[in-house]
Amino acid sequence: MIVGGGAPEIELSIKLAQYAATLSGVDSHCIKAFADALEIIPFTLAENAGLPPINIVTELRNRHAEGEAMAGINVKKSCITNITEENVLQPALVSISAITLASENR
């Protein structure tokens, strides 16, 4: 089990964007685009919860950039909280499978 609330996706997005900044050329653009695409997951979560998605994802990204790796979207409180304190968990296999399938080369 891993935390939910968009926390894993935004954390991975930030790490990939940082890695992309160390590269050049097509590889950098592809990895940055994948990092940007991962933000759709917390954006959609916020939108479906009736929250302002741009504001929520921006705050979530900022909290993770400040080192709050467990910050996630708390749909019950309509804000960003430490999602582990709320016991919002999701199966790791779901996220691993989704990311693996999204990044397969054919």
Side-chain angles (χ1 to χ4, degrees):
M1 299 297 280
I2 59 174
V3 296
E9 293 83 7
I10 206 76
E11 186 70 19
L12 182 56
S13 174
I14 290 170
K15 299 296 183 191
L16 284 174
Q18 290 170 346
Y19 176 62
T22 68
L23 303 174
S24 61
V26 174
D27 290 339
S28 175
H29 290 290
C30 289
I31 292 171
K32 178 66 173 112
F34 193 83
D36 291 343
L38 285 170
E39 291 191 5
I40 295 298
I41 296 166
F43 185 95
T44 303
L45 176 62
E47 194 172 46
N48 288 344
L51 303 173
I54 294 172
N55 296 344
I56 291 292
V57 173
T58 299
E59 182 183 349
L60 183 60
R61 189 182 320 111
N62 290 339
R63 299 270 293 268
H64 277 257
E66 293 170 357
E68 294 182 51
M70 299 302 164
I73 301 170
N74 186 328
V75 298
K76 290 183 179 179
K77 295 182 179 177
S78 301
C79 64
I80 304 298
T81 63
N82 181 332
I83 215 70
T84 57
E85 294 172 359
E86 305 295 327
N87 291 322
V88 176
L89 303 173
Q90 64 189 32
L93 186 57
V94 172
S95 293
I96 292 167
S97 296
I99 292 168
T100 300
L101 290 171
S103 60
E104 283 184 343
N105 285 333
R106 293 206 184 232

